[in-house]
Amino acid sequence: MSIVKNISSTLLKGWLSELAIEHYVCDHCHGLHLSHIQSLEGVVESRLFVEEWGLLISTEFQIRNSAILLLASEMGVLNANYPTLKVFVDAADDNLAQLVAGATVFTGAGLSEAQFALFVTTSMEMMSQLGNELRQMNCLLVDDDSPDGSFSLH
């Protein structure tokens, strides 16, 4: 198992391709968008970021404004059910409310391709399960519920 200390987006693109995980880079951010998670109902964006301290996968779920109080009361349960994720509600004044789920791995000591594969596949599975739970709770704002019928990225 070879440990890589200089983690770059180029390296991660190769590893994602080897894992057959569809991804793309957009013109608006430096994240690698994870197509499978982004295709799930209620997901606005799901991205993998390379940071100085490690890797971050961030997924944003569009939620109904009427679900904010329910989610606030269930936040402890959601974080306990998904211990590898950090889950919180982001309710800015100028945007629709979102539930953000993040997963991190520190890379200061390096990272192997096998460790990366475990991190990404586990995180994607947890994000998918969280999306299913939010759907069952009727918290997601889906395309036909949005005010103008569409979502915008960035």
Side-chain angles (χ1 to χ4, degrees), residues 108-152:
L111 187 72
S112 72
E113 187 173 356
Q115 290 169 322
F116 175 76
L118 179 63
F119 167 66
V120 170
T121 57
T122 301
S123 298
M124 289 177 64
E125 179 61 30
M126 292 295 104
M127 302 286 185
S128 181
Q129 288 178 18
L130 176 60
N132 288 335
E133 186 166 347
L134 294 171
R135 192 169 10 287
Q136 290 172 358
M137 294 170 65
N138 198 29
C139 292
L140 294 177
L141 182 66
V142 293
D143 285 343
D144 55 329
D145 292 336
S146 65
D148 66 356
S150 65
F151 297 118
S152 64

Side-chain angles (χ1 to χ4, degrees), residues 31-34 37-38 43-49 51 55-61 85-86 88 90 98-104 119 123 127:
L32 299 171
H33 291 255
L34 303 174
I37 300 300
Q38 275 191 203
V43 173
V44 178
E45 291 186 298
S46 185
R47 299 171 286 176
L48 170 62
F49 294 99
E51 302 292 348
L55 304 178
L56 166 68
I57 295 178
S58 176
T59 300
E60 301 159 8
F61 296 90
L85 301 179
K86 170 75 172 159
F88 62 94
D90 181 17
Q98 295 181 343
L99 184 125
V100 180
T104 60
F119 167 66
S123 298
M127 302 286 185

Side-chain angles (χ1 to χ4, degrees), residues 1-7 15 109-113 115:
M1 175 166 46
S2 177
I3 302 293
V4 178
K5 293 205 177 205
N6 294 322
I7 307 297
W15 285 355
L111 187 72
S112 72
E113 187 173 356
Q115 290 169 322

